[in-house]
Amino acid sequence: MNQNKLFNRTRWQLAISYAAVMGLILSVLGFGVYKAIAHAHWVAIDRELESVAGTLHDSLELKLQQPGRLEPIVNELLPNLRLIGVKGIKEQLPSRHILSAINQGYYYIRLFDYSGKLIATAGAYPEELPPALNSQYWQTITDAKGNVYHQISVALHTQTQQDWGYFQVGRSLQDFNDYLSTVKWVLKLGLPTALILIGFASWLLAGLAMKPIYSSYRQIQQFTADAAHELRTPLAASQATVESALLTPQLDEQEAREILRTVERQNRRLTQLVADLLLLARMDNQAIRDRLQLCCLNDLVSDLVEELAAMAIASKVTLTSEVRVQQQLNVVGNSDQLYRLVANLIVNAIQYTPAGGKVTVILDCSHQEAIVQVQDTGIGIAAADLERIFDRFYRVNSDRSRNTGGSGLGLAIAQTIARAHRGSLSARSELGSGSTFLLQLPL
């Protein structure tokens, strides 16, 4: 197949198309996974910040007494509290009763009075953040060094519900960005690797998909070549006969009749060949649906043995039938085509059985199947030829087939008819010991 440019190009196109589609799907899927992971982590960060801010906010409001003033007890809640511009409270070490989230190293706290002035910071506060107040509930800010922070701002009140100022809890997004960077690298490295594997798999799968197509293409090529060869033979014979007649100055009546008989014989052979080809083409395109009826195989076998008895006698072959069932075996199908199927088997057996031989047609049934066997004591078929005898235009013995008028389509037609009737046709043979053809049809 690789030597055929058309199929090789088609295989490449199939592989590239499949890889491109899978690459697009994986890219969209990877982008969706990345967005889903980023969204899930962002939601987790928001919930964590809200939880920490809510807990500290409620605890602080219980201890604030005057607007803009921090009570000393606040040091017990906030680690590393640093006062800015406020006297009277010194920075103290955090007590052991602090919230673990604030002590993780990437959280910070900022306290503003009601006018927006920064009063104090706590936690891992980055000095590069702008001191101005942004009272929006959620903010994502960037410092002078390009570090990104996410923070939440809430209003603070005193114990008497007076406006005290604002309370901010924020955290660095460095760990979040590092994690997303790792995910990006995994996707960037994983996608090309997956595409390489997909491309290789696409090439193999395209080859597997093209095999039956290529096999059909080769069969069509072979069939066309064989059909052209078979059609050319009778046409060439007729053409040569006509040309020889035209070159003869005078023809008597006997010579003219001989020429016409030759042309008629070749024309009959050509007509039969064309009819066989049309039958095969029609049966390939559609199943047998017309003229379906109940066919009695008992009557069909007895009729054929009776009709072909004269041919067997002329060939000095004994033709007999053996019915091994008591009941009538009926199948649904086209009686004319079933008749042709069994007739082809019997005629082949007679033609390839030497004088003094025997052909036996056996009718039997098993497991809801009717069985027709055609046994002969003929020349047999070699094992190498047995697998190809049902191929179109294939002859075990070309010279003998031509002498008997065969074109190599008889067994191919028989096999096609058997399959169209949901049956099977097989053969077993030994060279020099005869052959047996086995036809199985559903009852």
Side-chain angles (χ1 to χ4, degrees), residues 52 55-56 59 76-77 79 96-104:
V52 172
T55 302
L56 289 176
S59 300
E76 298 179 2
L77 293 175
R96 56 189 180 91
H97 302 290
I98 60 175
L99 296 176
S100 60
I102 300 299
N103 202 34
Q104 288 179 359

Side-chain angles (χ1 to χ4, degrees), residues 145-359:
K145 295 182 179 180
N147 299 316
V148 183
Y149 302 88
H150 193 51
Q151 65 184 23
I152 183 173
S153 300
V154 292
L156 271 176
H157 303 85
T158 64
Q159 296 175 350
T160 58
Q161 297 301 314
Q162 292 179 296
D163 292 333
W164 187 93
Y166 295 93
F167 171 71
Q168 285 184 347
V169 178
R171 62 162 290 170
S172 170
L173 296 181
Q174 184 64 40
D175 59 330
F176 174 71
N177 292 331
D178 291 343
Y179 179 78
L180 290 185
S181 298
T182 302
V183 174
K184 285 181 182 179
W185 275 108
V186 171
L187 292 176
K188 287 179 180 179
L189 295 177
L191 183 60
T193 303
L195 286 178
I196 292 174
L197 296 176
I198 288 174
F200 181 72
S202 301
W203 174 255
L204 295 179
L205 292 176
L208 292 176
M210 292 294 294
K211 276 186 177 180
I213 301 175
Y214 183 71
S215 178
S216 299
Y217 171 76
R218 294 288 297 173
Q219 289 179 357
I220 292 173
Q221 274 191 325
Q222 187 64 38
F223 179 79
T224 304
D226 292 339
H229 177 75
E230 293 295 333
L231 291 171
R232 183 180 62 184
T233 301
L235 288 173
S238 299
Q239 181 70 21
T241 303
V242 172
E243 288 179 354
S244 64
L246 291 175
L247 293 175
T248 303
Q250 293 182 348
L251 290 174
D252 55 25
E253 183 179 352
Q254 183 65 25
E255 291 176 335
R257 286 184 177 276
E258 288 294 333
I259 291 173
L260 290 176
R261 274 195 289 269
T262 302
V263 173
E264 188 272 339
R265 185 170 61 253
Q266 297 298 332
N267 185 67
R268 186 168 59 248
R269 181 183 176 187
L270 186 61
T271 301
Q272 182 61 45
L273 180 59
V274 171
D276 291 343
L277 292 174
L278 289 175
L279 175 63
L280 285 171
R282 186 167 60 251
M283 295 182 69
D284 284 342
N285 292 332
Q286 59 184 2
I288 300 174
R289 298 186 183 275
D290 55 336
R291 293 186 293 174
L292 291 179
Q293 58 188 7
L294 204 60
C295 305
C296 179
L297 294 181
N298 304 64
D299 296 338
L300 186 145
V301 169
S302 61
D303 290 345
L304 278 172
V305 171
E306 183 179 347
E307 292 175 14
L308 296 175
M311 179 182 179
I313 293 173
S315 300
K316 299 179 181 181
V317 173
T318 302
L319 176 61
T320 59
S321 63
E322 180 181 339
V323 180
R324 297 178 179 177
V325 291
Q326 300 297 326
Q327 73 274 19
Q328 297 288 326
L329 298 182
N330 297 315
V331 297
V332 177
N334 188 307
S335 58
D336 293 336
Q337 293 186 0
L338 289 174
Y339 181 92
R340 180 169 186 175
L341 190 164
V342 181
N344 279 351
L345 299 180
I346 297 175
V347 169
N348 275 352
I350 294 174
Q351 289 179 344
Y352 291 99
T353 299
K358 183 179 179 180
V359 175

Side-chain angles (χ1 to χ4, degrees), residues 12-33:
W12 273 111
Q13 291 174 350
L14 282 175
I16 293 173
S17 300
Y18 180 77
V21 171
M22 289 301 298
L24 179 62
I25 294 174
L26 287 178
S27 299
V28 173
L29 183 61
F31 180 77
V33 169

